[in-house]
Amino acid sequence: MNRYTFLGLLGTAATTPLRRALAVLSPNLRLMQPEQFLFHDDGQIPNSRFPVLLYRNAFPARDMEGAAWLEKRFAANNWTNSWRNGVYAYHHYHSTSHEVLGVYAGTALLQLGGEQGQQVRVQAGDILVLPAGVGHKNLGSEQLGIVGAYPEGRHWDVNRGLPGERPQADQNIAALPIPTTDPLLGSTQGLPTLWKK
């Protein structure tokens, strides 16, 4: 291999992580398409008419640097009232707010949509947007670190699909507006477009 070919390959290898980082920091450079999961009311967990959005490998930072990056990114897109922790090990949902979960460390197997829903594995770098009403449960995790946040800093409740939660939970969910921004991509891509279809 001649020197020019080698330098060209080296330059391509060196710029690939930079391109990925720029795509996250400037979403207009690349349209990120999330995986979508739709779950219907199962009688206990109301779920939602809106799909769960899962952005895979959406950001490169990890651990405390990743947590700080997520908090800053979410806040810049008006998703605040953030926390750092994990996901409860029981089925639950929120009726007073939508929620974003950014995974900054470890891995987890989540059950989405209640007992009849779907298992989804997430790992550091993934961002999950949960519409109000969608059940979620941690089935098992390793060194999991998550930043959670809410559109416009809304306060959240915890419902477990127990008798007596509905119809109030259903009324709460129906009254929520669609967020004007995606917690990762901002106002012109992702959630605002996908949830209004």
Side-chain angles (χ1 to χ4, degrees):
M1 175 183 307
N2 70 38
R3 163 173 80 143
Y4 296 106
T5 302
F6 173 76
L7 290 174
L9 290 172
L10 182 62
T12 300
T15 58
T16 300
L18 177 60
R19 282 192 197 126
R20 267 190 249 132
L22 287 174
V24 170
L25 296 175
S26 302
N28 293 330
L29 296 177
R30 185 175 126 235
L31 179 61
M32 295 188 72
Q33 291 296 322
E35 294 177 34
Q36 298 182 47
F37 304 88
L38 191 59
F39 303 104
H40 299 288
D41 191 332
D42 69 3
Q44 292 182 312
I45 305 292
N47 289 307
S48 180
R49 62 188 173 100
F50 303 122
V52 170
L53 306 178
L54 174 55
Y55 294 97
R56 297 275 189 192
N57 198 26
F59 64 99
R62 298 293 183 263
D63 302 317
M64 293 304 105
E65 180 185 342
W69 186 89
L70 286 165
E71 290 165 345
K72 185 176 179 182
R73 186 69 178 184
F74 294 162
N77 289 316
N78 203 23
W79 288 64
T80 56
N81 192 18
S82 65
W83 49 264
R84 295 182 188 186
N85 205 334
V87 176
Y88 296 134
Y90 53 83
H91 292 292
H92 67 285
Y93 66 93
H94 311 296
S95 75
T96 56
S97 185
H98 308 295
E99 181 177 46
V100 63
L101 303 176
V103 185
Y104 65 84
T107 63
L109 180 63
L110 303 179
Q111 177 79 19
L112 301 179
E115 200 60 44
Q116 305 305 313
Q118 182 175 343
Q119 294 181 7
V120 175
R121 185 164 297 282
V122 294
Q123 63 184 8
D126 293 346
I127 295 176
L128 190 66
V129 184
L130 299 170
V134 171
H136 45 295
K137 173 184 179 180
N138 185 344
L139 296 175
S141 59
E142 292 183 21
Q143 299 178 332
L144 182 64
I146 285 186
V147 168
Y150 307 90
E152 300 176 351
R154 289 185 178 274
H155 293 284
W156 47 276
D157 60 356
V158 176
N159 297 286
R160 299 181 66 169
L162 302 175
E165 290 176 350
R166 300 169 81 176
Q168 185 60 57
D170 296 331
Q171 293 169 5
N172 293 344
I173 293 165
L176 285 173
I178 295 174
T180 58
T181 58
D182 183 287
L184 173 65
L185 301 178
S187 61
T188 60
Q189 300 177 45
L191 183 154
T193 301
L194 298 171
W195 282 12
K196 288 181 180 175
K197 284 185 179 180

